[in-house]
Amino acid sequence: MKIISYNVNGIRAAIKKGFIDWIQEENADVICLQEIKANESQIPTEELAAAGYPYQYYFSAQKAGYSGVAVLCKEKPNNVAYGTGIEYMDSEGRNLRVDFDTVSVMSLYLPSASNIERLDFKYQYMDDFFTYINELRKELPNLVICGDYNICHEAIDIHDPVRNAKVSGFLPEERAWISKFIENGFIDSFRMFNKEPHNYSWWTYRANARNNNKGWRIDYNMVSAPLEDRITAARILADVKHSDHCPIVVELKS
């Protein structure tokens, strides 16, 4: 099973930049999208179906043009779960899960924080999500949580760890939460295969950051520990440019 996660920063904008042709070439089994910034009625679902994804699931924010996640599947899942059942999370369209016979795949868009109020919101989300996942794993131990976590874990994951030490996305509390998440039974699949620096998944549009590779690795395919022996590959597709993020891939043996 090949799974791709991609914060598209507006699915309609990404489609204008060749997104549909690209998904045909990549031929993943499941594609998790974040920040779609659209409702299903605004998305060319027939074109996506013709590209090989007849099973499409969308969970949009109540606020128009904001947030939202989606999952595109080649095969029909057994079950689709929209949101977490936690109202303040679900009103922003941040979690969508599909369940197959031997694996469940979630598209996650964890909040960013541009001010102290949103940072408090982000911390609450992180705490509540951690609790939610611990309960979910009792029912569904084989989980892949794909998405934009809006957190760099280690200094190796950010181009300038010193200057960004007090910036949300690289705060000690955020980094500790990622550590706790991993210690609690999840695998940062990319780091299984690549321990090298300068591997990023997001670049600001300012100051020619992407061409200079001054980025942040804030997108993860986190794989629950029971699936460890099934992970065969994980990589970042830094050359794919429909967004300020790039796609990330994990592959599992069936």
Side-chain angles (χ1 to χ4, degrees):
M1 175 181 271
K2 180 179 179 181
I3 302 168
I4 288 177
S5 180
Y6 197 177
N7 180 321
V8 289
N9 193 14
I11 190 169
R12 290 170 291 178
I15 286 171
K16 291 177 181 177
K17 297 174 184 176
F19 172 79
I20 292 178
D21 288 340
W22 173 77
I23 63 172
Q24 284 186 288
E25 294 167 7
E26 280 295 326
N27 196 35
D29 297 286
V30 178
I31 301 176
C32 295
L33 304 177
Q34 302 87 41
E35 211 171 353
I36 60 172
K37 297 182 177 180
N39 295 315
E40 184 173 357
S41 62
Q42 299 171 303
I43 296 167
T45 54
E46 291 184 2
E47 291 181 40
L48 291 167
Y53 295 90
Y55 303 102
Q56 304 167 34
Y57 308 97
Y58 300 94
F59 191 49
S60 301
Q62 292 177 7
K63 180 180 175 181
Y66 175 74
S67 188
V69 289
V71 182
L72 312 179
C73 304
K74 284 191 171 294
E75 303 294 333
K76 187 176 182 180
N78 300 331
N79 177 60
V80 181
Y82 295 88
T84 60
I86 302 170
E87 195 281 331
Y88 79 88
M89 290 184 180
D90 295 348
S91 66
E92 294 197 352
R94 294 186 176 275
N95 300 84
L96 177 60
R97 191 189 79 242
V98 292
D99 301 328
F100 297 96
D101 287 345
T102 64
V103 66
S104 296
V105 182
M106 177 184 287
S107 183
L108 162 71
Y109 181 36
L110 201 146
S112 60
S114 56
N115 55 48
I116 190 66
E117 182 178 321
R118 286 301 287 184
L119 184 58
D120 289 342
F121 178 88
K122 182 177 185 177
Y123 285 153
Q124 182 182 358
Y125 188 105
M126 288 157 54
D127 289 344
D128 290 345
F129 183 71
F130 189 88
T131 300
Y132 169 77
I133 290 299
N134 272 343
E135 287 300 309
L136 184 65
R137 285 195 309 171
K138 295 175 184 177
E139 176 189 354
L140 300 170
N142 294 342
L143 273 172
V144 182
I145 305 178
C146 308
D148 179 359
Y149 284 65
N150 267 308
I151 302 169
C152 289
H153 184 208
E154 302 286 2
I156 194 176
D157 297 314
I158 191 167
H159 76 93
D160 192 343
V162 175
R163 292 185 185 178
N164 287 297
K166 295 183 179 180
V167 176
S168 179
F170 196 58
L171 295 174
E173 297 89 344
E174 295 168 308
R175 297 173 62 194
W177 184 87
I178 290 283
S179 293
K180 183 174 76 167
F181 200 78
I182 291 170
E183 291 162 5
N184 199 47
F186 280 88
I187 298 156
D188 179 353
S189 58
F190 178 74
R191 287 298 180 208
M192 279 187 68
F193 299 92
N194 191 318
K195 310 293 186 185
E196 298 301 314
H198 314 305
N199 287 287
Y200 308 125
S201 64
W202 174 80
W203 303 260
T204 177
Y205 282 129
R206 298 189 297 272
N208 207 26
R210 190 159 190 172
N211 287 338
N212 293 320
N213 199 30
K214 293 183 176 181
W216 299 39
R217 189 174 75 95
I218 58 177
D219 300 87
Y220 301 84
N221 289 321
M222 292 286 193
V223 181
S224 61
L227 292 170
E228 182 172 9
D229 291 343
R230 289 173 55 183
I231 304 170
T232 59
R235 54 194 178 275
I236 295 173
L237 306 182
D239 293 333
V240 178
K241 297 179 179 179
H242 311 106
S243 169
D244 52 349
H245 292 249
C246 73
I248 59 172
V249 182
V250 65
E251 296 186 28
L252 306 175
K253 288 185 290 190
S254 58

